[in-house]
Amino acid sequence: MTLLTVLLLLLPVAGFAVTALIGRRLGTRSWVPAVAAVVASWLLAMVVVYGQLSGGNGDAGLQVTLYRWIPAGAFTIDFNLAVDNLTAALLIVVTTVGMLVHVYSIGYMAHDPGRWRFFAYLNFFMFSMLLLVLAANFLLLFAAWELVGLSSYLLIGFWYRRRSASLAAKKAFLVNRVGDVGFALGIMAIWSTVGTLNFSDVFQLLPAKLASGAIQPWEMTGIALLLFCGAVGKSAQFPLHVWLPDAMEGPTPVSALIHAATMVNAGVYFVARANPIFSQSGTAMVIVAAVGIFTALLAASIALTQTDIKRVLAYSTLSQLGYMFAALGVGAYVAAIFHLMAHGFFKGLLFLDSGSVIHGVHDEQDMNRMGGLWRKLPVTHATMLVGTLAIAGIPPLAGFFSKDEILGQSFKAGFLWVWAVGIGVACLTAFYMFRLMGKTFYGPSHVDSAVEPQVHESPRSMTVPLVLLAIPSALLGLGLGLPFGAGAISSWLDPVFAPAEATLGRSPESFSLFGLDGVLILISVTVAAVGTIAAMRLFGFHWPFTARETAPLPDRVAALTARLRPLYTASYHKWWFDDLNDLIFVRFGSRLANGAWWFDRTVVDGTVNGTGRLIQRTGREVRQIQTGHVQNYALGIAIGLLIVAGGFLLLAGR
Amino acid sequence: MLTIPSTIPLLGWSWNDLLFLVLTGGLLGSALMVVLGRDIIRCGLWMIVCFLFLAGLYVLVGNPLVAGAQVLIYIGAISVLILFAVMLTQSKAGPARLVFHHQAWAAALAAIGLAIMLVIVDGSTSWPLAEPDRQATATSEVASRLFTDFVLPFEVVSVLLLAAVIGGVFLAKRDDAPRSDSDL
Amino acid sequence: MSHTLDAYLVVSALLFCIGVFGFLARRNAISMLMCIELMLNAVNLTILAFGAFVPTLQGNAAVIALLVMAVAAGEATVGLAIVIAIYRNRRTPLVDEYAQMRD
């Protein structure tokens, strides 16, 4: 089992190395080593996961220590991995979605001459993400954190000749970096407090120190918040959310894998992993919940008006991540991870679907130039409908279960404001997702007339992963979430979070379908339905398996837009956050930098050069003593004699 | 017959003192003329006068031999030499041009300062007084000292003079053959 | 007055300083040499004055003064020869136009 774990981690590296070295020569077959590595990795992961979840590794899970990385006296860091139930849950998502995205890319990147680079980077990303999930100490996780950021940079800027792409990649990396500063400070704070960075040790020592009074509560809150900074950056929460929409410059498989299913979940995974630290500080939890639910609302409000299909999905991702952080903030850890898994599948599905659509209409991403595609892209349409239903929270699909868990737990834990905002966001989510469906697939076709005849369904290599992803999107909830509150997911993850839940004073409650829980479910389903129906009416719908169609009402849409013009404008401009950032950091920062440059040139260089010039001038003046005339020298001698003898005279007389 | 009184009437000085004053006054005056004169030839002539006064002072001090040597050597040889050289190096422009440097004022200050310092030193030291009945130095004594105690310096000075003569002749001789390299 | 050493020393000091001034201030090289002679004579006077007032030095003083005179003669010779040699080259006896040593 140890060997399998190590192998599943190292196979993608091997794939990366092989593809990087000989990929170009393989031409159209450059996908073979990469995909083979990932498929093998997936198989091994499934074995490891099965072994872990069936209790095969004991209470502590599987621990693997590869070698001593940093032996520096008191400070030692090992390269060690750990597989517990939480890691297993993440492994399922990461490897499955990763494998399907690799397969999908075979078709999607078939016409791109740089595809060997793409597969190499994808494999490298898989390695980084797996290392992140498997890491058993903070430093290794941080290293993997950075590697994932690097892969994201490489993949967002994959079409590097496009200026917008390389700018977006830079933006992503820099904004991530801002969060990483806090993260690094948090890790240093942990080290200085407990002297070790292994997860198991830290999670025992740190709460013990707080309980014994060795550290103050505010210190614990501080550590938690610093660590949270990293999560805010990596998972694109407010205020570091600005990089994710721009990251859509990368190819769609990248968006699907990195910015929907895996990398952005790293922040959620990390906060869940660090739950013993967070649960010790009520303040930190509230802040996490607040940031999360605010991001959810903000992103949903922006998604309502965007016209680029991938941007809508990007904001949707932000919104759902906000949900997850809100769940973590209220203490609903199991629900957060459940939503992470479900979201990984259906958002990955949605992105790959959008990629299929884009591929079908020949690289057109503006929804205003689509429409009526349900006939021509049947498989894509069907799977996208499944994904949309899932994200909207319509039972019995996966999204319903996980979202409802979060909302229910937040209500029952007393965070009513989180619940209320969450309900609102659920309504908005359903609305904008069906808006997307309406504009893309239904109604009259606005497709460019030159492209229209060539619109076609995607090849098998792309549609098969779509179908394969649609299955868990539909069924994951039923499989893991039933019965409510006591499903398989709970039995998997409760042991991981038990200490935290004990700290928070939560006890596993029984679920009463006809009591409070039932009412909450009813409210959330109603709200989702309202949003769905409203969008269907405004943007059109085609009832599947029938010939019935609802036509879109563009005039109504225009009227509504006009009535809500200020809100619409704010939403369309992303609440002007990018402009604000530009003003503060770019313009002001460049003015500051120019000032510093002036200072360096004038004062510093001026001093140095001035000293040189002063010495030169002095030398030139002093040189005048050398006249070449003997009598001047003789006069000098006479004067010197006067001074010396006179001095002696004065001193002797004293 | 007029008898010379032992001291000067009216002033009460001794005749020696008067002689001393006259000689020193003339000495310093002619020295000033040497230094401040415009025309070089006049300067040279004033130098001769200065040497004469010095000879007189040497006699007053009690060394007639040295006084004689002074007249012979300084006036008879060196001054003549100097005058010859002056005549050989007269440039066409003549004595109308500037005689003093720009640094003449600084030089004057330095010289005055030096003088003041020396006078102060001189005044603040107690010097021994003269024997009332000393004799003038006898030539025989000079001669005996010259050839016994001071024979080495005597020989050395003769060699020096020889070298000086040879050197002077060599330096001042005219070059007959034209020289190809000019390194001056 | 003439029976004190002070006076003689002051006189020779003044003569010496006059010579210094002339040496530093005159432009003609031969004037400088004349002033050197003045300075040497001042020294001679000092020596003889000491010889007059310190009995043990009496004989020595004369000898030393004679030797000084001889050396002065030799020095004047060589100096003048040099001046003449330079004059042949530069056509001027003025020292401030001998500026070869400056750069």
Side-chain angles (χ1 to χ4, degrees):
Chain A
M1 195 62 68
T2 311
L3 179 64
L4 294 184
T5 313
V6 174
L7 262 184
L8 93 85
L9 179 65
L10 293 180
L11 275 173
V13 189
F16 162 69
V18 170
T19 314
L21 288 172
I22 63 171
R24 191 188 285 218
R25 260 190 285 141
L26 291 176
T28 45
R29 299 227 184 281
S30 51
W31 54 267
V32 172
V35 175
V38 170
V39 170
S41 189
W42 178 79
L43 286 169
L44 292 174
M46 290 299 114
V47 174
V48 171
V49 165
Y50 180 75
Q52 170 63 23
L53 288 176
S54 59
N57 294 319
D59 275 342
L62 181 67
Q63 307 275 346
V64 178
T65 305
L66 281 182
Y67 72 107
R68 177 136 288 190
W69 185 19
I70 303 178
F75 182 65
T76 57
I77 302 284
D78 294 336
F79 201 100
N80 52 4
L81 315 169
V83 181
D84 67 349
N85 287 359
L86 177 62
T87 309
L90 264 285
L91 274 177
I92 297 177
V93 178
V94 171
T95 49
T96 313
V97 178
M99 177 186 69
L100 291 172
V101 165
H102 273 79
V103 173
Y104 179 91
S105 305
I106 302 175
Y108 193 81
M109 302 298 283
H111 305 301
D112 194 311
R115 71 186 87 84
W116 64 275
R117 259 192 316 130
F118 188 75
F119 283 105
Y121 290 155
L122 270 185
N123 263 27
F124 184 67
F125 170 78
M126 287 301 293
F127 163 70
S128 317
M129 192 68 206
L130 287 171
L131 183 62
L132 197 152
V133 172
L134 288 170
N137 66 61
F138 278 97
L139 197 61
L140 196 58
L141 185 131
F142 188 65
W145 196 268
E146 298 295 333
L147 282 176
V148 168
L150 173 68
S151 317
S152 168
Y153 168 83
L154 290 171
L155 284 165
I156 295 174
F158 177 70
W159 288 315
Y160 55 86
R161 291 212 176 86
R162 210 192 292 176
R163 181 165 171 75
S164 53
S166 52
L167 287 177
K170 214 179 359 163
K171 183 176 181 178
F173 197 79
L174 288 176
V175 175
N176 251 304
R177 243 351 188 160
V178 174
D180 291 347
V181 170
F183 195 5
L185 286 174
I187 293 181
M188 291 179 216
I190 290 179
W191 164 256
S192 72
T193 315
V194 290
T196 172
L197 288 179
N198 287 319
F199 283 153
S200 44
D201 300 330
V202 173
F203 295 149
Q204 280 178 326
L205 292 173
L206 213 51
K209 282 217 166 193
L210 182 65
S212 70
I215 56 176
Q216 300 297 318
W218 65 265
E219 289 176 328
M220 194 62 128
T221 307
I223 291 178
L225 286 178
L226 283 173
L227 295 175
F228 184 54
C229 278
V232 167
K234 186 67 71 183
S235 298
Q237 297 298 293
F238 174 84
L240 297 177
H241 63 283
V242 289
W243 65 269
L244 192 54
D246 286 354
M248 297 298 116
E249 292 284 340
T252 311
V254 170
S255 307
L257 183 59
I258 298 186
H259 306 122
T262 45
M263 185 179 108
V264 291
N265 293 330
V268 182
Y269 161 73
F270 175 68
V271 175
R273 171 67 73 199
N275 65 78
I277 299 181
F278 279 90
S279 57
Q280 297 288 330
S281 164
T283 319
M285 299 275 278
V286 170
I287 290 180
V288 169
V291 168
I293 203 69
F294 178 73
T295 308
L297 181 61
L298 179 74
S301 70
I302 299 178
L304 290 174
T305 57
Q306 297 298 308
T307 53
D308 183 328
I309 191 173
K310 284 175 71 174
R311 298 247 160 165
V312 177
L313 291 175
Y315 284 106
S316 166
T317 307
L318 282 178
S319 188
Q320 300 303 307
L321 286 171
Y323 261 123
M324 290 181 227
F325 278 106
L328 289 172
V330 304
Y333 297 108
V334 178
I337 301 297
F338 189 18
H339 196 56
L340 186 153
M341 295 177 69
H343 175 262
F345 284 115
F346 60 65
K347 191 48 71 62
L349 170 65
L350 284 169
F351 265 109
L352 292 185
D353 268 317
S354 72
S356 179
V357 169
I358 293 170
H359 176 89
V361 294
H362 289 266
D363 297 323
E364 177 59 68
Q365 290 186 248
D366 188 346
M367 289 194 292
N368 288 328
R369 288 208 269 275
M370 300 181 195
L373 291 177
W374 66 273
R375 285 195 186 83
K376 308 220 175 136
L377 305 175
V379 178
T380 308
H381 165 246
T383 48
M384 198 144 190
L385 187 57
V386 171
T388 309
L389 286 171
I391 195 174
I394 309 287
L397 286 96
F400 158 67
F401 287 94
S402 55
K403 205 183 287 197
D404 185 74
E405 273 281 317
I406 295 176
L407 293 173
Q409 293 267 22
S410 45
F411 188 89
K412 286 196 274 190
F415 287 88
L416 290 180
W417 47 281
V418 174
W419 176 83
V421 177
I423 290 286
V425 174
C427 180
L428 291 177
T429 306
F431 183 80
Y432 67 69
M433 283 311 296
F434 274 95
R435 167 179 177 263
L436 183 144
M437 289 293 288
K439 290 187 90 130
T440 309
F441 289 108
Y442 307 126
S445 164
H446 298 287
V447 178
D448 194 26
S449 46
V451 176
E452 176 109 49
Q454 296 165 359
V455 172
H456 60 280
E457 181 60 272
S458 306
R460 202 70 74 80
S461 61
M462 285 165 72
T463 53
V464 168
L466 294 177
V467 174
L468 287 178
L469 275 177
I471 298 175
S473 305
L475 302 176
L476 193 74
L478 291 170
L480 295 182
L482 281 181
F484 285 104
I489 189 83
S490 306
S491 65
W492 286 352
L493 295 177
D494 272 335
V496 179
F497 299 117
E501 291 184 348
T503 316
L504 294 171
R506 306 275 169 83
S507 52
E509 296 185 12
S510 57
F511 184 81
S512 52
L513 186 56
F514 295 106
L516 179 64
D517 295 306
V519 172
L520 292 175
I521 291 181
L522 197 59
I523 295 177
S524 57
V525 172
T526 312
V527 155
V530 164
T532 310
I533 294 174
M536 281 188 197
R537 293 226 54 204
L538 284 176
F539 296 102
F541 192 68
H542 167 85
W543 295 91
F545 310 118
T546 65
R548 186 165 145 213
E549 267 198 49
T550 316
L553 303 167
D555 308 317
R556 272 278 194 88
V557 176
L560 261 176
T561 311
R563 200 132 27 105
L564 302 169
R565 174 101 346 225
L567 284 175
Y568 183 88
T569 317
S571 161
Y572 190 72
H573 287 107
K574 303 165 270 176
W575 298 94
W576 294 292
F577 270 115
D578 274 328
D579 304 297
L580 186 70
N581 277 339
D582 179 53
L583 186 70
I584 295 180
F585 297 110
V586 177
R587 301 240 189 92
F588 183 67
S590 64
R591 201 123 26 104
L592 209 62
N594 272 329
W597 184 51
W598 172 87
F599 183 79
D600 182 47
R601 249 186 313 131
T602 316
V603 178
V604 177
D605 283 352
T607 310
V608 174
N609 291 344
T611 314
R613 255 178 283 135
L614 180 70
I615 292 179
Q616 269 187 321
R617 224 181 308 142
T618 313
R620 225 180 300 141
E621 302 292 328
V622 174
R623 188 166 69 88
Q624 315 244 358
I625 290 183
Q626 296 274 3
T627 55
H629 295 138
V630 181
Q631 272 176 310
N632 297 129
Y633 300 155
L635 179 62
I637 293 174
I639 293 176
L641 170 70
L642 259 182
I643 293 173
V644 172
F648 266 116
L649 193 61
L650 283 170
L651 289 174
R654 214 158 283 273
Chain B
M1 220 10 203
L2 283 166
T3 52
I4 304 173
S6 57
T7 59
I8 302 173
L10 289 173
L11 286 169
W13 289 351
S14 66
W15 289 106
N16 265 351
D17 284 346
L18 181 64
L19 195 56
F20 176 74
L21 269 176
V22 168
L23 284 173
T24 45
L27 173 69
L28 292 176
S30 53
L32 275 173
M33 291 312 294
V34 168
V35 163
L36 298 175
R38 291 229 120 221
D39 187 3
I40 280 209
I41 305 244
R42 297 270 170 85
C43 293
L45 296 173
W46 277 112
M47 194 173 72
I48 293 177
V49 169
C50 178
F51 291 154
L52 273 173
F53 277 115
L54 261 176
L57 266 176
Y58 292 165
V59 170
L60 196 58
V61 163
N63 258 308
L65 176 67
V66 179
Q70 167 93 349
V71 173
L72 270 175
I73 296 174
Y74 266 109
I75 303 175
I78 291 178
S79 306
V80 172
L81 193 59
I82 286 180
L83 284 173
F84 271 145
V86 164
M87 283 185 261
L88 279 175
T89 61
Q90 284 282 43
S91 47
K92 291 212 170 68
R97 281 196 293 177
L98 209 60
V99 236
F100 290 110
H101 259 294
H102 298 294
Q103 72 175 27
W105 296 107
L109 280 168
I112 290 174
L114 193 61
I116 290 173
M117 211 173 59
L118 287 169
V119 168
I120 289 175
V121 169
D122 187 37
S124 56
T125 324
S126 58
W127 302 109
L129 291 176
E131 301 286 303
D133 50 353
R134 78 184 135 87
Q135 303 292 326
T137 317
T139 309
S140 57
E141 197 182 331
V142 173
S144 72
R145 281 194 203 245
L146 192 60
F147 289 108
T148 53
D149 296 329
F150 288 92
V151 68
L152 180 61
F154 174 73
E155 296 298 331
V156 168
V157 167
S158 15
V159 172
L160 181 86
L161 285 173
L162 179 66
V165 166
I166 296 173
V169 166
F170 179 76
L171 275 174
K173 82 173 161 109
R174 206 176 278 278
D175 294 321
D176 294 321
R179 295 222 265 182
S180 55
D181 53 334
S182 56
D183 50 355
L184 256 186
Chain C
M1 212 179 321
S2 66
H3 59 283
T4 56
L5 184 53
D6 281 18
Y8 287 98
L9 291 182
V10 167
V11 166
S12 72
L14 288 176
L15 183 61
F16 184 80
C17 292
I18 291 172
V20 165
F21 168 67
F23 178 75
L24 295 177
R26 304 272 313 197
R27 283 174 89 215
N28 198 315
I30 303 188
S31 302
M32 289 170 69
L33 277 165
M34 286 197 270
C35 299
I36 291 179
E37 297 307 325
L38 281 181
M39 287 193 266
L40 280 164
N41 272 292
V43 168
N44 251 348
L45 181 58
T46 311
I47 294 172
L48 288 173
F50 271 108
F53 286 83
V54 180
T56 50
L57 297 177
Q58 192 170 18
N60 293 342
V63 174
I64 294 173
L66 280 174
L67 291 174
V68 169
M69 238 183 275
V71 169
E75 174 248 327
T77 308
V78 174
L80 287 166
I82 291 176
V83 170
I84 290 177
I86 295 182
Y87 176 79
R88 285 228 192 87
N89 230 288
R90 300 295 163 76
R91 290 284 134 197
T92 171
L94 302 171
V95 290
D96 55 342
E97 297 186 6
Y98 306 153
Q100 232 55 15
M101 262 168 55
R102 183 182 10 216
D103 295 323

